[in-house]
Amino acid sequence: MNDPSLLLPFYEHPADRPEAWDAVVEAAPSLYGVVLNPANGAGAAPDPAFAAVAERLRAAGTRVLGYTDTAYGRRPHGEVVAELLRHRDWYGADGAFLDQVPTSPEALAHVRRIGVAARAAGARTLVLNHGAHPDPGYAELADLLVTFEGPWDSYRGLDLPLADHYCHLVYAAPRDALPTTRVHCAVPGTGPHPWGTLPHALTREPLRTASGQAAGRAAG
């Protein structure tokens, strides 16, 4: 595995999938980053298993991006910032993955404040997951914008705008699926928890879909 463009949301508990997390750590030097999502965010208390895997990822040389939901701009600023700080303090996250980010220009000021707070909290890398193409003003707020999240059957027929700072996250993807953005991820998972599966390139055995309860919500 040698794909420095792979952004990996993997929402499974290390105690439940240790062999999968071993594969992620092994591939870590070649990844863009790994989204850490202990409990639909940082959780109510530190999780030692996630703290240990985060330490392994950092030691292996990849970004650790703490998952934080913005609820399409409805979540209060203070709650979002508090979660960013928990990711930093409990898991040593050096980046942030903000999920369910609005696409409209009306929400730019709110998301800008969150971005400034994330940088102040030590996020050297900031990813905004809009899941769809956002207003151009968001480009200046983050290092990476997720401008598509959805199933392969929908994705493969689209002609989406491309840029180096765009990222596509695709699920229900076949083994030969390749998103068109430089930074991307395509996994075979389906159903309510597709991000409980690894990309084909990180697996060495037949892949299973994740139909059990998620360790965290889907990426978008």
Side-chain angles (χ1 to χ4, degrees):
M1 173 66 199
N2 184 21
D3 185 358
S5 313
L6 185 61
L7 172 65
L8 181 58
F10 184 50
Y11 302 158
E12 286 287 318
H13 197 279
D16 297 331
R17 300 287 300 282
E19 75 296 336
W21 276 107
D22 287 345
V24 174
V25 172
E26 183 178 346
S30 65
L31 304 181
Y32 180 89
V34 178
V35 183
L36 203 73
N37 187 6
N40 195 23
D47 186 319
F50 273 101
V53 83
E55 183 176 359
R56 293 174 65 197
L57 290 167
R58 291 194 308 273
T62 195
R63 300 174 176 93
V64 175
L65 309 176
Y67 174 98
T68 301
D69 188 1
T70 75
Y72 295 109
R74 296 188 300 272
R75 193 175 182 195
H77 175 82
E79 284 187 15
V80 174
V81 174
E83 187 149 76
L84 292 168
L85 293 173
R86 290 197 296 273
H87 275 297
R88 181 197 66 186
D89 295 342
W90 295 349
Y91 307 112
D94 52 10
F97 180 93
L98 300 182
D99 197 18
Q100 298 199 122
V101 177
T103 60
S104 68
E106 291 77 16
L108 273 167
H110 176 68
V111 177
R112 182 179 290 109
R113 286 185 65 216
I114 294 173
V116 169
R119 300 292 193 189
R124 295 195 293 270
T125 301
L126 181 60
V127 179
L128 305 182
N129 183 12
H130 304 276
H133 200 70
D135 183 86
Y138 287 95
E140 67 182 33
L141 307 185
D143 300 283
L144 201 64
L145 307 180
V146 178
T147 59
F148 177 89
E149 183 189 355
W152 175 255
D153 281 350
S154 298
Y155 179 75
R156 63 182 178 175
L158 298 176
D159 184 16
L160 299 171
L162 298 178
D164 282 347
H165 61 286
Y166 292 168
C167 171
H168 294 164
L169 301 178
V170 185
Y171 53 83
R175 187 171 292 274
D176 60 351
L178 183 63
T180 54
T181 49
R182 182 183 64 84
V183 181
H184 57 263
C185 189
V187 300
T190 60
H193 182 42
W195 303 107
T197 54
L198 292 177
H200 294 285
L202 266 64
T203 61
R204 296 173 178 168
E205 57 186 7
L207 294 160
R208 67 174 181 90
T209 58
S211 57
Q213 184 175 359
R217 63 176 304 282

